[in-house]
């Protein structure tokens, strides 16, 4: 098959974008779309290895693992080694699964518009048709996401505005999170500091919020956002953002009590 470099790169940019988004959905990773786009473009250019002679299994595996690690870093950054390794492994599995499906289609239908070499996929179809397929795949992902994550699910999207800056992240529904701001009685969403970038709250706006947990008692600093949205629904109750450090473990670095705030 004649391979056109522009089609090759564009096709793999689209494929890598979908695979990165799918990995982020599976692991519930807080990500920024512009970083995923940068990683997808890098992945698109890395597809040029399809032009190399057929590599042996170990060489191909090593190159593929290295590329996967680079794309993971570009898309999601580096936090802790175990979390980074988990993300690399998940993206690798998603990619291998996708490649396996493609190889099955080639074998089953003897396709003459698709080829795979060195684990890189080349689709010899028009850009318009590729865009249509991409849009369909995107909506399938969106529908799957809505079915999987309903209002009573454990993972919810939090967005708030403070000092004309928008912050968004994923938060886990925790029925044991019953922390309240002591003077107003307002509910509190606990958020790890690393999710808030360089947010600065003036001293006069900071609230000191005591909390109790199985690990002991303590205090955290909190503030009242100017606007708050949960799953894109505006919240009109008084809800504070409580800033924590190294308390919430795992991929989701925020917890709140959905029932107390949204029901």
């Amino acid at each position: 098959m004649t391979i056109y470099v522009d089609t090759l790169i564009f096709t793999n940019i689209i494929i890598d974008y979908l695979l990165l988004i799918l990995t982020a959905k599976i692991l519930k990773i807080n990500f920024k779309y512009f970083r995923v786009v940068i990683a997808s473009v890098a992945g698109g250019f890395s597809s040029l290895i399809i032009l190399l002679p057929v590599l042996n299994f170990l060489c191909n595996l090593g190159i593929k693992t290295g590329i996967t690690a680079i794309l993971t870093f570009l898309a999601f950054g580096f936090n802790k080694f175990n979390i980074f390794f988990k993300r690399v492994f998940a993206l690798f599995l998603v990619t291998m699964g996708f490649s396996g499906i493609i190889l099955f289609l080639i074998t089953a239908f003897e396709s003459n518009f698709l080829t795979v070499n060195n684990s890189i996929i080349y689709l010899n179809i028009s850009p318009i048709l590729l865009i249509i397929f991409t849009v369909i795949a995107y909506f399938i992902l969106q529908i799957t996401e809505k079915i999987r994550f309903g209002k009573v699910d454990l993972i919810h999207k939090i967005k708030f505005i403070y000092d004309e800056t928008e912050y968004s992240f994923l938060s886990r529904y925790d029925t044991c999170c019953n922390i309240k701001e002591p003077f107003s009685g307002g509910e509190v969403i606990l958020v790890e500091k690393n999710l808030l970038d360089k947010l600065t709250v003036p001293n006069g706006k900071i609230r000191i919020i005591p909390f109790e947990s199985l690990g002991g008692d303590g205090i955290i600093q909190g503030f009242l956002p100017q606007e708050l949205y949960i799953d894109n629904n505006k919240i009109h109750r008084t809800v504070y953002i409580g800033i924590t450090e190294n308390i919430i473990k795992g991929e989701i670095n925020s917890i709140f009590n959905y029932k107390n705030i949204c029901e």
Side-chain angles (χ1 to χ4, degrees):
M1 179 185 292
T2 300
I3 295 178
Y4 298 94
V5 172
D6 54 347
T7 303
L8 169 69
I9 293 174
F10 180 71
T11 298
N12 280 276
I13 287 175
I14 299 300
I15 291 174
D16 287 334
Y17 178 82
L18 290 175
L19 294 180
L20 287 165
I21 292 294
L22 182 58
T23 301
K25 299 283 188 181
I26 292 173
L27 296 182
K28 315 295 186 304
I29 300 173
N30 294 298
F31 66 93
K32 296 180 179 179
Y33 281 99
F34 79 90
R35 293 197 63 154
V36 174
V37 170
I38 291 172
S40 302
V41 172
F45 280 96
S46 73
S47 66
L48 292 174
I49 65 174
I50 196 176
L51 303 176
L52 298 176
V54 178
L55 303 172
N56 63 52
F57 174 77
L58 290 178
C59 186
N60 192 20
L61 179 63
I63 292 176
K64 193 65 179 178
T65 302
I67 291 175
T68 303
I70 292 172
L71 298 189
T72 302
F73 174 75
L74 291 175
F76 310 126
F78 183 89
N79 190 352
K80 298 178 181 178
F81 178 78
N82 61 328
I83 293 177
F84 180 73
F85 177 81
K86 179 181 177 181
R87 292 174 176 179
V88 172
F89 186 66
L91 178 58
F92 186 85
L93 289 182
V94 169
T95 303
M96 290 299 99
F98 183 79
S99 298
I101 293 173
I102 296 300
L103 288 172
F104 169 77
L105 293 176
I106 292 175
T107 304
F109 300 102
E110 297 182 354
S111 170
N112 60 358
F113 65 86
L114 184 152
T115 187
V116 177
N117 184 40
N118 296 328
S119 300
I120 301 298
I121 298 166
Y122 177 73
L123 295 170
N124 188 24
I125 60 178
S126 70
I128 294 177
L129 191 58
L130 180 60
I131 291 172
I132 292 173
F133 286 160
T134 302
V135 171
I136 292 173
Y138 175 80
F139 279 108
I140 290 174
L141 283 175
Q142 290 293 99
I143 293 171
T144 302
E145 184 70 8
K146 289 184 180 297
I147 292 174
R148 185 177 178 185
F149 302 114
K151 286 189 174 182
V152 297
D153 197 87
L154 296 178
I155 307 300
H156 298 271
K157 180 181 179 181
I158 306 293
K159 180 177 73 174
F160 71 85
I161 296 174
Y162 189 84
D163 195 21
E164 299 182 352
T165 302
E166 180 181 298
Y167 300 86
S168 63
F169 47 86
L170 297 178
S171 186
R172 185 173 70 249
Y173 176 16
D174 189 334
T175 55
C176 296
C177 183
N178 294 304
I179 301 173
K180 298 181 184 292
E181 197 279 326
F183 295 102
S184 66
E187 297 290 334
V188 178
I189 298 174
L190 295 181
V191 185
E192 285 289 319
K193 188 176 181 180
N194 61 68
L195 295 181
L196 302 180
D197 297 328
K198 297 181 180 180
L199 181 143
T200 302
V201 182
N203 289 332
K205 300 292 184 178
I206 294 176
R207 296 287 186 270
I208 301 300
I209 304 172
F211 71 91
E212 297 180 1
S213 68
L214 295 176
D217 303 335
I219 59 172
I220 57 174
Q221 293 185 342
F223 62 94
L224 189 65
Q226 292 158 344
E227 293 183 36
L228 173 66
Y229 300 84
I230 298 179
D231 297 331
N232 296 319
N233 297 313
K234 188 171 184 178
I235 303 301
H236 298 283
R237 296 182 181 182
T238 299
V239 180
Y240 286 80
I241 303 296
I243 305 174
T244 65
E245 282 194 78
N246 301 319
I247 294 178
I248 306 170
K249 307 299 181 182
E251 291 283 346
I252 307 299
N253 294 143
S254 171
I255 60 173
F256 77 116
N257 194 318
Y258 179 89
K259 184 177 180 180
N260 291 351
I261 297 176
C262 301
E263 294 183 357

